[in-house]
Amino acid sequence: NVVLSAACTRNLSNTYTMLRSFSRSFATVVYTHRSGRKIKEKVAAMLAKKKQLGEETSEKPGKFVLKCPKGTRDYGAKPMAAREEVLKKVTDTFKRHGAETIETPVFELREVLLGKYGEEGGKLVYDLKDQGGELLCLRYDLTVPFARFLAMNNVEKMKRYQIARVYRRDQPVMTRGRYREFYQCDYDIAGVYESMLPEADCIKIVDEVLSAMNLGEYVIKLNHRLMLDGMFAVIGADDSQFKSVCASVDKLDKEPWEKVEEELIKERGLSPESAARLGAFVRFRELNPDLDNVAVLDQMMQIKELAANPQFKKGVEEIKLLLTYCADFGVSNAVRVEPSLARGLDYYTGAIYEAVIPNGLEGVTDESGLPVGVGSVAGGGRYDNLVGMFAANKKKSVPCCGISFGIERLFAIMEAKNAAEQTAIRTTSTQVFVASAQKNLLSLRMRQMAQLWSWGFAAELDYKANPKMLNQIQYAEKNGIPLVLIIGEQEQKDGIVKLRNTVTREETPVKFDDLQATLTEMLKA
């Protein structure tokens, strides 16, 4: 009996162990099944979101497609030549006005950038994956890094320019020059100076650059943050509504008032009465197109509620002074007071300005065949409090104002203009092409090249040992090289070379001793 009892006990124990093991295995299978189902659900949701964003591709899984990332592009030799021309004109203008240049990192600490561009701008900042304990972002513009630079180095006065790439996680429109990676050309003046003088300098720079580029008629819009503050106070809008309402108002150059008014009421929370009054103010230029700048300001001051508001009154006084300084600087008649201009109000505190080329992309169409336009090509204003956000002593700030060119949009206009006019674009700076008509003159050509380089001339030759004369001439003509220096055995003995003008195709014999001076004179002509 004792033996049988022990055996039964062992069997029961083994059976229990087996059941418990099976139970755990079954639970694992069920858990794994549920976990897999959740993963599939998440993957399906991500694919649906990708399709909604229009990023779904038709390529087979695993197939690699060689292309530029969305919102970026390559630039070939001809577009780069046009870019260099634009950048040179901008840089020369900055230097002519006495600016010095700096460089800042392409990425900044996240806390430096976030909170400086408003709710919408903050969403467009590229976050970087943590690589060592610091939370970083790609720079969104060059203004905030400049303010950080001033605060960190205790700089109180500076006139600087910077030309560099910035990055925005925006929906690109390539035909309009809107990219995710693009150049900005910034000119800023930091320090305490006479009111409106730095602003006049910035507007003069815009006038000079756009005039030099010859891209068509342009307009430099002008407004003041205090004027906008006064308008909002008069209509009884809440301070918390200011930025969102201004974002809607700033769409007036793209959308009709009826649509903007509907947005102000339904989405921004303004009453119909307040929206109507605000419309009368911000559309004052549109409703009175025959008035000049001073008349617009004077007529708006005839509105009792606006005239009684101290902020609006001060803004008008400063804009009038700015107009006077612009006239003294010889700024063209392109400046126009525009009460609806409401850009960059997350950190602008005074005058704001923006340049547009209304017919810059005339004749250019999108994929649907519809005409496309280009937004502002330059914008800026006064920002007196931005540096103080980074200063150890928050009360100590450095007042600043500046201008920023959206250079990619200028490139887009220039490319469209060159295509329409079939403009020939030189992709090199070569001044002289060294050629030979006979064989076995490679060494002589190379020595002549070395001599031209030492004199400071841009020169090149064919890398073949015995190139055909016709091919050399055709290469020079095709690439717009103005002169061909022809070396021959007899000319070498006589101590001369021939200079061929690729436009007129005239050939002139020149003595070796006179070659440098003759080249200089012919290239000047």
Side-chain angles (χ1 to χ4, degrees):
N1 291 336
V2 173
V3 173
L4 287 172
S5 177
C8 291
T9 301
R10 284 196 299 271
N11 290 335
L12 287 171
S13 177
N14 290 338
T15 302
Y16 174 74
T17 302
M18 291 174 62
L19 287 171
R20 185 171 61 179
S21 176
F22 174 76
S23 176
R24 288 177 177 172
S25 299
F26 179 74
T28 302
V29 171
V30 173
Y31 177 78
T32 304
H33 174 70
R34 289 177 178 173
S35 178
R37 185 173 60 192
K38 288 183 178 179
I39 292 174
K40 290 180 179 178
E41 289 175 351
K42 289 184 178 180
V43 170
M46 291 173 65
L47 291 174
K49 183 65 174 177
K50 186 176 181 181
K51 185 176 181 180
Q52 180 183 349
L53 294 174
E55 297 178 353
E56 188 179 39
T57 58
S58 59
E59 292 84 11
K60 296 179 180 179
K63 184 179 179 181
F64 178 67
V65 179
L66 205 58
K67 64 177 184 177
C68 292
K70 186 177 181 180
T72 65
R73 60 168 286 191
D74 289 326
Y75 288 89
K78 288 186 177 180
M80 279 304 300
R83 286 166 66 93
E84 288 179 350
E85 181 184 350
V86 171
L87 290 173
K88 185 179 186 304
K89 289 178 179 179
V90 174
T91 304
D92 289 348
T93 305
F94 289 163
K95 290 181 177 180
R96 193 164 57 245
H97 283 246
E100 52 191 342
T101 189
I102 67 168
E103 183 61 89
T104 57
V106 73
F107 49 83
E108 295 274 354
L109 295 174
R110 184 180 296 176
E111 54 263 34
V112 168
L113 299 184
L114 296 188
K116 310 301 187 303
Y117 305 110
E119 182 180 351
E120 292 301 318
K123 295 177 182 177
L124 304 182
V125 175
Y126 272 103
D127 288 330
L128 297 180
K129 187 175 181 180
D130 180 18
Q131 294 291 342
E134 290 185 333
L135 299 178
L136 306 172
C137 296
L138 291 177
R139 61 188 173 202
Y140 177 89
D141 67 0
L142 300 178
T143 305
V144 172
F146 176 56
R148 190 265 307 156
F149 174 88
L150 294 175
M152 194 173 78
N153 295 283
N154 295 316
V155 178
E156 295 186 358
K157 279 195 174 185
M158 187 178 197
K159 186 189 293 185
R160 86 87 170 86
Y161 78 89
Q162 185 176 355
I163 300 175
R165 286 186 172 99
V166 298
Y167 300 85
R168 296 184 184 178
R169 198 173 57 190
D170 202 352
Q171 288 301 319
V173 184
M174 311 292 272
T175 53
R176 301 186 186 185
R178 183 187 297 171
Y179 298 86
R180 287 180 169 177
E181 178 192 55
F182 57 95
Y183 272 98
Q184 277 193 342
C185 302
D186 280 22
Y187 173 90
D188 292 84
I189 302 171
V192 179
Y193 300 98
E194 288 294 323
S195 175
M196 295 294 115
L197 268 179
E199 285 88 342
D201 187 26
C202 291
I203 292 175
K204 177 61 175 176
I205 281 180
V206 177
D207 190 43
E208 288 182 2
V209 168
L210 296 184
S211 177
M213 289 186 183
N214 193 29
L215 297 178
E217 182 183 355
Y218 57 90
V219 177
I220 305 173
K221 300 179 182 180
L222 186 60
N223 201 9
H224 202 291
R225 167 67 185 262
L226 293 181
M227 291 174 61
L228 289 168
D229 287 339
M231 295 178 201
F232 275 75
V234 168
I235 69 170
D238 190 84
D239 290 342
S240 62
Q241 298 174 300
F242 181 77
K243 293 178 182 178
S244 63
V245 171
C246 282
S248 297
V249 169
D250 203 38
K251 298 177 182 178
L252 276 174
D253 60 338
K254 309 176 192 72
E255 298 177 356
W257 165 247
E258 291 74 19
K259 189 172 181 179
V260 173
E261 183 179 32
E262 182 180 3
E263 182 177 303
L264 289 172
I265 297 171
K266 293 184 177 180
E267 298 180 24
R268 308 306 188 189
L270 288 187
S271 67
E273 294 78 13
S274 296
R277 295 190 72 191
L278 180 62
F281 297 154
V282 298
R283 298 173 64 210
F284 201 87
R285 162 68 74 181
E286 176 190 345
L287 299 174
N288 299 276
D290 297 331
L291 297 180
D292 61 25
N293 290 324
V294 175
V296 167
L297 297 173
D298 288 341
Q299 290 289 336
M300 292 189 77
M301 284 295 291
Q302 295 298 317
I303 302 173
K304 292 183 179 179
E305 297 92 337
L306 293 178
N309 184 277
Q311 290 177 302
F312 186 86
K313 184 178 180 181
K314 183 178 180 181
V316 168
E317 291 173 352
E318 291 191 353
I319 290 298
K320 282 187 174 181
L321 181 60
L322 178 54
L323 291 171
T324 300
Y325 288 155
C326 285
D328 291 340
F329 270 151
V331 177
S332 68
N333 295 326
V335 177
R336 186 177 73 184
V337 173
E338 182 53 76
S340 66
L341 179 62
R343 69 185 312 275
L345 297 177
D346 290 290
Y347 52 72
Y348 286 141
T349 58
I352 49 179
Y353 28 85
E354 176 181 270
V356 296
I357 303 177
N359 301 317
L361 290 179
E362 190 171 14
V364 179
T365 58
D366 60 15
E367 296 82 358
S368 305
L370 298 175
V372 299
V374 65
S376 64
V377 296
R382 172 158 293 277
Y383 52 101
D384 286 346
N385 301 326
L386 188 57
V387 179
M389 295 182 181
F390 304 114
N393 181 3
K394 298 298 182 182
K395 294 182 179 180
K396 182 181 179 181
S397 187
V398 179
C400 303
C401 77
I403 186 71
S404 177
F405 288 91
I407 213 71
E408 237 64 43
R409 294 183 175 181
L410 291 173
F411 292 150
I413 296 173
M414 177 167 282
E415 282 186 313
K417 182 173 181 286
N418 290 338
E421 299 176 356
Q422 297 182 342
T423 305
I425 300 175
R426 286 199 63 192
T427 58
T428 72
S429 301
T430 305
Q431 299 168 299
V432 184
F433 187 89
V434 178
S436 61
Q438 291 92 25
K439 294 182 179 180
N440 304 318
L441 293 180
L442 177 59
S443 178
L444 182 59
R445 284 189 290 138
M446 293 177 67
R447 292 199 300 272
Q448 185 62 70
M449 285 283 295
Q451 182 67 72
L452 293 174
W453 286 336
S454 70
W455 288 340
F457 295 107
E460 61 176 301
L461 51 70
D462 194 312
Y463 290 136
K464 291 182 179 179
N466 298 300
K468 294 181 179 179
M469 186 62 182
L470 180 60
N471 292 344
Q472 296 174 85
I473 297 295
Q474 288 178 342
Y475 176 86
E477 291 179 351
K478 179 181 177 181
N479 289 278
I481 301 173
L483 296 175
V484 178
L485 189 153
I486 302 173
I487 300 173
E489 292 179 352
Q490 187 59 46
E491 287 83 358
Q492 177 71 11
K493 293 177 183 178
D494 296 339
I496 64 172
V497 297
K498 289 183 179 179
L499 291 179
R500 178 186 175 93
N501 186 313
T502 56
V503 176
T504 64
R505 298 183 176 179
E506 295 178 355
E507 294 185 1
T508 306
V510 180
K511 293 181 179 180
F512 284 151
D513 293 340
D514 301 330
L515 181 57
Q516 183 178 7
T518 303
L519 282 172
T520 302
E521 288 300 318
M522 292 183 73
L523 290 170
K524 282 183 179 178

